[in-house]
Amino acid sequence: MATHQRLSRADFHRSDNVSEQVQVCVRLRPAVGTGQDQEASCVRRVDSHSLEILNWKNEMESVKYKFDAFYGETATQWDVYTGSVKPVLHHLLKGQNASILAYGPTGAGKTHTMLGNPDQPGVIPRAVRDVLQMTREASEDKCRYSVSMSYLEIYQEKVLDLLTPSLRDLPIREDRNHNILVPDLTQKEITSVADFESHFLPASRKRTVASTQLNQRSSRSHSVLLVLVNRIRDLPTYSHQTAKLCLIDLAGSEDNRRTGNQGLRLKESGAINSSLFVLSKVVDALNQGLPRVPYRDSKLTRLLQDSLGGSAHSLIIANIAPEKKYYFDTLTSLNFAAKSKQIVNKPFTQKVLPQTGSWKPAKPEETESPHNHSEAEKSLSDGKRPCPDFSDGSPEAKRPCLQEGNSQDHPKRSRSGESSSICCLLPLENLNPILAERMLRLEALEKEKALSCTIPLLDTPRKERLNILKLLYETRCELKSVQEKQLKIEAQTLENKGTPFPQASKPRKQATVLPLQQVHIPVNNQQEEENVIKKQKNKGRKKKILDLDSENKAPSKCEEEINQDLAKTKLLSLLNSGSMKDLMGLHYIGKKKAELIVNWRENYGSFQKVQDLGKIYGISAKQVDAFIMANVCKFQKPL
């Protein structure tokens, strides 16, 4: 029988676990001016991969740089896109992340490269159009794609949502799979280029820009467009795969002596230069292999953690200006591009297989046989659906099976509704035929195993069974202590007399010791009678002390475990059936986590155990442990 494996959100599929370097291309914008003195060109093209720049120490010499691609002054938007950007996009269909980053000084043409104009569209509109086209062509009957977008800017170290403008500084988080995300960022689903433009164009107008002495529309913030490509596969097993495309337009570094920045413009340029300095530190740390990479020193580098040294296919487009007055800015940009080319990323495919039912891995002995197959087909043709046993106290165990006559078919199962069938909860008419056939085979094996079991199931609810086990444990402990006391008294009697007990003419009947009863031992000699009298005199004095000791007596280990199990059962029932208000009444559960729990119940059904909260996207394992410890104490009854 085919194995149904239960996987959580932490399961990865690394199909292309190959390291690759960050790709870097350089684009030289056309020169502006007369071409004399400060406006003369200091950069010259060598070939399609190389360029050279004058040596500032000796103008008779030049410094040569080699990159993955070099686009000169005559290169068009189409050349840059088809030569460097488009080859990166096909990784999105494999579930791998991609990142396109425009870097350079102010006035070098970064925004033109990324956005362009209606006559010459830039990287962003062309990439979104091709991503939508690829997902339409790749969609099949068994596999479907969806594309969504988010747009933000980093202005003065604040992450601001451009699709839903507000002054709120959004947090940047890292989930347990080391993916960088912005939890409260607005997400819009797009199905066509018109949908994209209806969201992107109004949002791009809200980006912070200002006029300086070097640029009429200088970007005062770093903008990041996130395009999420989701792939959902129905057969043979349900799987969800997400890939992220980051399109980043960085603000340019500025020399305030040339830009003439004052007041607010000066504060903005300080924040821009500071974040770009941290970006340079991150690149140096990655190249040197330092144990600590300062991603958290800036919001920009924290957001680019996937792109630099992470799991994305990254491309950096370094924009430079040819004029001599921008010489040091150009030299700095080329040095940054050369260092970035040495960074190594490790892209991989991440597949998420959420748990949609209570499937269990098949055991080695549970193999497919003609008998099992015929039994499953017979049950399907008769319209009877066998009900598997849920004896672990799960919420499904409390649902009555909707099938008539199942108590007759399974005489050893409970008649109180503790056993319920997955087929009863999930109608076979709504499932795929292959999945339905596998379900019937699994239930046929469970039915055969239950019929062969010689120990009947208790026909009592879980709470009553726990009470019975508790009482049984206490009775055995009391009986053992009474027997030990009796043995001590007999040994003491033998010591005092020095002779064994006299043999009675008639066989002595052995007294039956019942639990929770006082055991009366006959007193045969005078010394023992005096001891009993003394004990009775001290009994009144010690009564209060004994009562206090019994009240303060710590509960036994079994009592604590049973009490914790009862508390977890109540907590699990509240998680599966509680309203938003009830969930928010628990410790460590706010409005956001309550909504996540309700959405999970609607999509995947009830929780099997409290630890299943860790499968919800956004709730870590440490948070689940803290939640259980706090709320179990809340639901525990004092023993």
Side-chain angles (χ1 to χ4, degrees):
M1 186 177 69
T3 302
H4 293 269
Q5 191 174 8
R6 300 175 63 180
L7 300 176
S8 64
R9 304 189 70 90
D11 294 317
F12 297 110
H13 172 65
R14 297 175 182 262
S15 59
D16 298 328
N17 192 8
V18 180
S19 302
E20 69 169 28
Q21 290 182 332
V22 173
Q23 298 182 19
V24 178
C25 67
V26 176
R27 185 179 189 184
L28 179 66
R29 71 160 172 79
V32 179
T34 60
Q36 296 179 357
D37 298 334
Q38 291 296 320
E39 297 178 354
S41 178
C42 62
V43 180
R44 186 177 68 86
R45 171 190 171 124
V46 177
D47 54 34
S48 60
H49 296 277
S50 305
L51 73 153
E52 60 182 6
I53 184 173
L54 294 177
N55 187 354
W56 66 279
K57 295 182 180 180
N58 185 1
E59 292 188 359
M60 301 301 295
E61 298 178 354
S62 62
V63 181
K64 187 177 180 180
Y65 292 88
K66 186 175 182 180
F67 301 99
D68 295 296
F70 173 72
Y71 302 98
E73 299 176 353
T74 59
T76 62
Q77 300 275 60
W78 174 254
D79 296 334
V80 177
Y81 178 75
T82 57
S84 298
V85 178
K86 191 173 182 178
V88 180
L89 300 180
H90 74 277
H91 296 291
L92 298 173
L93 298 183
K94 301 179 183 179
Q96 300 176 4
N97 299 334
S99 178
I100 314 295
L101 186 145
Y103 180 89
T106 182
K110 300 182 298 300
T111 303
H112 176 72
T113 299
M114 297 302 291
L115 296 181
N117 52 52
D119 297 331
Q120 295 182 355
V123 170
I124 289 179
R126 293 177 188 270
V128 173
R129 181 195 61 193
D130 284 355
V131 168
L132 292 172
Q133 181 66 24
M134 286 190 302
T135 55
R136 282 194 293 266
E137 293 176 355
S139 296
E140 303 173 356
D141 295 337
K142 302 178 182 179
C143 178
R144 60 185 185 274
Y145 288 87
S146 64
V147 181
S148 58
M149 62 168 285
S150 300
Y151 196 28
L152 62 90
E153 71 171 352
I154 303 176
Y155 176 71
Q156 295 190 22
E157 286 301 303
K158 293 182 180 180
V159 179
L160 305 178
D161 191 350
L162 292 176
L163 293 179
T164 307
S166 66
L167 298 179
R168 180 189 176 190
D169 183 13
L170 300 179
I172 300 176
R173 297 286 184 260
E174 181 178 0
D175 63 11
R176 59 183 178 182
N177 300 330
H178 305 292
N179 295 320
I180 303 300
L181 50 90
V182 183
D184 300 328
L185 189 62
T186 303
Q187 200 173 95
K188 300 286 186 181
E189 185 173 358
I190 55 177
T191 57
S192 63
V193 177
D195 285 348
F196 169 72
E197 292 178 349
S198 65
H199 299 302
F200 180 76
L201 294 180
S204 61
R205 297 189 192 101
K206 299 169 186 175
R207 184 184 176 186
T208 307
V209 296
S211 175
T212 65
Q213 294 180 6
L214 297 180
N215 194 352
Q216 291 297 324
R217 285 183 57 83
S218 176
S219 301
R220 315 309 298 166
S221 64
H222 310 294
S223 69
V224 181
L225 174 66
L226 301 175
V227 180
L228 299 178
V229 180
N230 298 304
R231 186 182 75 173
I232 300 176
R233 181 180 293 275
D234 294 328
L235 292 174
T237 57
Y238 177 86
S239 66
H240 179 208
Q241 178 176 290
T242 301
K244 178 176 62 176
L245 172 63
C246 295
L247 299 166
I248 305 138
D249 180 15
L250 296 179
S253 58
E254 294 183 341
D255 186 350
N256 294 316
R257 294 170 295 183
R258 295 205 308 267
T259 57
N261 292 331
Q262 293 180 356
L264 181 60
R265 301 286 89 81
L266 184 63
K267 186 178 180 181
E268 292 171 347
S269 65
I272 293 171
N273 292 339
S274 177
S275 61
L276 294 177
F277 175 69
V278 176
L279 178 61
S280 179
K281 288 172 57 180
V282 168
V283 173
D284 290 337
L286 290 172
N287 288 334
Q288 297 173 17
L290 298 180
R292 179 187 179 274
V293 181
Y295 288 116
R296 297 176 182 268
D297 292 358
S298 171
K299 294 288 185 68
L300 174 64
T301 53
R302 180 63 168 159
L303 201 61
L304 294 179
Q305 188 169 342
D306 288 339
S307 305
L308 300 175
S311 60
H313 297 269
S314 297
L315 168 67
I316 296 178
I317 305 175
N319 294 264
I320 59 175
E323 293 85 4
K324 275 190 177 181
K325 60 182 178 180
Y326 298 113
Y327 174 81
F328 288 103
D329 292 333
T330 300
L331 184 63
T332 303
S333 299
L334 291 176
N335 290 334
F336 174 83
K339 291 187 294 183
S340 300
K341 193 176 182 302
Q342 303 175 13
I343 297 176
V344 177
N345 289 353
K346 295 182 179 180
F348 62 89
T349 300
Q350 176 177 335
K351 290 184 180 179
V352 180
L353 304 178
Q355 180 183 350
T356 57
S358 58
W359 294 106
K360 297 183 179 179
K363 296 181 181 180
E365 64 272 16
E366 295 178 348
T367 55
E368 184 176 359
S369 63
H371 174 73
N372 297 335
H373 184 68
S374 62
E375 186 178 358
E377 291 181 350
K378 182 180 179 181
S379 61
L380 179 62
S381 61
D382 296 339
K384 297 180 180 180
R385 297 167 185 171
C387 298
D389 174 45
F390 294 91
S391 59
D392 56 351
S394 60
E396 286 79 358
K398 299 178 182 178
R399 299 185 184 178
C401 185
L402 302 180
Q403 178 186 350
E404 296 181 358
N406 71 342
S407 60
Q408 299 176 1
D409 297 336
H410 306 281
K412 294 185 180 181
R413 296 181 180 235
S414 172
R415 297 181 181 178
S416 60
E418 283 194 323
S419 300
S420 63
S421 174
I422 302 176
C423 298
C424 297
L425 303 177
L426 301 174
L428 294 178
E429 296 81 17
N430 299 335
L431 297 178
N432 184 272
I434 298 177
L435 187 57
E437 183 180 357
R438 290 177 179 175
M439 288 176 64
L440 290 176
R441 291 179 186 177
L442 180 62
E443 292 183 354
L445 287 174
E446 291 182 352
K447 175 184 176 182
E448 182 180 357
K449 188 175 180 180
L451 292 176
S452 61
C453 183
T454 57
I455 302 176
L457 298 177
L458 289 175
D459 191 11
T460 54
R462 178 178 174 80
K463 185 176 181 180
E464 295 183 13
R465 291 203 305 270
L466 292 176
N467 292 334
I468 293 173
L469 291 175
K470 180 180 178 181
L471 181 60
L472 179 62
Y473 179 81
E474 292 176 350
T475 303
R476 288 177 178 175
C477 293
E478 187 71 18
L479 180 61
K480 186 176 180 181
S481 63
V482 170
Q483 290 175 348
E484 290 177 353
K485 289 180 181 179
Q486 182 176 359
L487 292 176
K488 288 181 181 179
I489 294 174
E490 290 179 355
Q492 186 177 3
T493 304
L494 289 175
E495 273 183 25
N496 294 334
K497 296 184 68 174
T499 56
F501 285 107
Q503 297 292 333
S505 60
K506 294 183 180 180
R508 182 180 178 184
K509 293 183 180 181
Q510 187 174 0
T512 303
V513 181
L514 297 178
L516 305 178
Q517 287 185 343
Q518 288 185 342
V519 180
H520 298 281
I521 306 299
V523 181
N524 297 324
N525 53 39
Q526 186 176 0
Q527 184 177 0
E528 290 180 357
E529 290 179 358
E530 293 177 356
N531 292 335
V532 171
I533 294 172
K534 291 181 181 179
K535 289 181 181 180
Q536 289 178 353
K537 289 181 180 179
N538 295 331
K539 185 176 180 181
R541 301 175 185 176
K542 297 182 179 179
K543 184 176 181 181
K544 294 184 180 181
I545 300 176
L546 293 175
D547 292 340
L548 292 175
D549 291 342
S550 62
E551 291 178 359
N552 298 329
K553 184 180 179 181
S556 63
K557 185 177 180 181
C558 179
E559 292 175 345
E560 291 181 356
E561 292 179 354
I562 294 174
N563 204 0
Q564 288 182 2
D565 290 340
L566 294 175
K568 288 183 180 179
T569 303
K570 294 179 182 179
L571 182 58
L572 180 62
S573 176
L574 182 58
L575 289 176
N576 288 326
S577 60
S579 61
M580 284 283 295
K581 185 176 181 181
D582 296 335
L583 294 175
M584 291 174 64
L586 298 173
H587 295 294
Y588 299 112
I589 296 294
K591 182 178 180 181
K592 181 181 174 183
K593 290 185 180 178
E595 292 177 353
L596 292 176
I597 294 173
V598 173
N599 293 335
W600 177 272
R601 291 189 322 209
E602 294 177 355
N603 294 330
Y604 306 117
S606 302
F607 296 97
Q608 300 296 326
K609 52 186 179 179
V610 182
Q611 287 78 4
D612 290 347
L613 283 175
K615 299 174 184 177
I616 299 179
Y617 184 73
I619 300 180
S620 64
K622 291 184 178 179
Q623 292 175 343
V624 174
D625 295 338
F627 167 79
I628 294 175
M629 289 180 63
N631 289 281
V632 164
C633 295
K634 177 181 177 182
F635 282 98
Q636 274 184 339
K637 293 183 179 180
L639 294 174

